[in-house]
Amino acid sequence: MGRGKVELKRIENKINRQVTFAKRRNGLLKKAYELSVLCDAEVALIIFSSKGKLYEFCSTSSMSKAVERYHRCSYGHIEANQSPDNDQNTYEEYLKLKERAEILQQSQRHVLGEDLAQLDIKELDQLEHILDGTLKRTRSMKNHSLCDKLSDLQQKERSLMELNAALMNKLEGSSAPLESTCQLQHELKAQYQLPYFLDPNNTPEIRYDSIVAADNVGDNANGMIMREWMQ
């Protein structure tokens, strides 16, 4: 019995699809070689796999020469039959784009303060109006950014002040012995470190008078406990 007719459709199984591709690719390359030898024909074959890998065969010494010959045979008559009107329209469009690019470059130089001597009073007024609008928008954006940063710093300052007040209340109400007081001072110094990293080029001003007051309270507490212990 002969083989049944194979339905041409995409093979869903990946392994079977790869095996079939390898077999048929090798067969196609073999047929191209046989055709070039038996019939003295110039054969060029290009195959791309589903993953983009290139397989090629060329009966001549250079694939690029074969592709160039194909391009001349396929598109040479089209290029030869192009009307001069198309070339003229393309050249006119090129000139328009070139002129527009030169105008944009000149406007950019004017904004940068260059080549202003060739402008008249009206053009200078227009340029001044454009620069004023740009400057106002830039300043507005800068002020908005500074206000947001200032608000964040104020919030951090309030948090630090609340932490300092809580630690001072803890020190004032503490009646622990000397070891507990020393431990509390170390806890105060450890907890009062900033929980975030500040920009060294733009460090905000932070008030330390509350911290100094807390340290003085701690020293007074140490002295009071020491005197009571020695009596």
Side-chain angles (χ1 to χ4, degrees):
M1 295 179 62
R3 294 180 57 186
K5 185 177 181 181
V6 178
E7 184 180 2
L8 292 178
K9 66 177 183 179
R10 183 178 183 272
I11 302 175
E12 299 298 333
N13 187 280
K14 183 178 180 181
I15 297 177
N16 294 340
R17 186 168 63 248
Q18 291 177 351
V19 173
T20 303
F21 172 77
K23 290 181 178 179
R24 301 211 173 205
R25 178 201 64 205
N26 295 335
L28 187 59
L29 293 173
K30 181 179 178 181
K31 292 295 182 181
Y33 170 73
E34 292 176 353
L35 180 62
S36 64
V37 173
L38 295 175
C39 302
D40 194 20
E42 183 177 349
V43 180
L45 176 62
I46 300 176
I47 303 174
F48 287 100
S49 67
S50 59
K51 296 183 179 180
K53 189 174 181 180
L54 171 64
Y55 302 91
E56 63 179 20
F57 167 79
C58 185
S59 59
T60 60
S61 59
S62 175
M63 174 64 77
S64 60
K65 292 181 179 180
V67 173
E68 183 180 357
R69 182 178 178 183
Y70 165 76
H71 186 272
R72 287 197 307 267
C73 294
S74 300
Y75 304 103
H77 65 282
I78 299 177
E79 296 176 355
N81 294 332
Q82 285 184 349
S83 62
D85 295 337
N86 294 333
D87 296 338
Q88 183 66 25
N89 294 334
T90 303
Y91 182 71
E92 290 178 356
E93 184 177 359
Y94 161 74
L95 292 179
K96 291 179 180 179
L97 293 175
K98 183 179 179 181
E99 183 180 0
R100 184 177 179 183
E102 291 177 354
I103 293 174
L104 292 175
Q105 292 176 357
Q106 187 177 10
S107 300
Q108 183 180 8
R109 289 194 298 268
H110 292 165
V111 171
L112 296 176
E114 301 175 358
D115 300 338
L116 299 179
Q118 57 184 353
L119 300 179
D120 55 13
I121 301 299
K122 184 177 180 180
E123 292 175 342
L124 290 174
D125 289 339
Q126 293 177 354
L127 180 61
E128 183 180 6
H129 180 71
I130 294 174
L131 294 177
D132 287 340
T134 303
L135 183 60
K136 289 179 181 179
R137 290 190 294 271
T138 304
R139 286 178 177 173
S140 177
M141 183 60 66
K142 178 182 177 182
N143 292 334
H144 182 72
S145 301
L146 290 176
C147 289
D148 291 342
K149 190 170 185 180
L150 180 60
S151 178
D152 294 339
L153 292 176
Q154 289 176 349
Q155 180 64 30
K156 292 175 183 178
E157 183 182 8
R158 286 192 295 268
S159 300
L160 291 174
M161 291 178 66
E162 293 175 358
L163 177 61
N164 185 40
L167 292 175
M168 289 181 64
N169 293 333
K170 189 175 181 180
L171 281 174
E172 293 175 355
S174 176
S175 57
L178 179 61
E179 291 80 2
S180 300
T181 305
C182 294
Q183 182 179 0
L184 188 58
Q185 285 184 339
H186 290 294
E187 183 181 353
L188 173 64
K189 293 181 180 179
Q191 291 183 0
Y192 212 85
Q193 293 180 354
L194 295 179
Y196 55 90
F197 295 95
L198 294 177
D199 186 3
N201 297 324
N202 193 8
T203 304
E205 182 180 358
I206 301 178
R207 298 170 57 188
Y208 294 96
D209 50 353
S210 300
I211 303 176
V212 175
D215 291 338
N216 293 334
V217 171
D219 295 338
N220 294 334
N222 291 337
M224 184 182 298
I225 294 174
M226 182 63 71
R227 287 195 298 272
E228 292 178 357
W229 178 76
M230 293 178 62
Q231 289 178 356

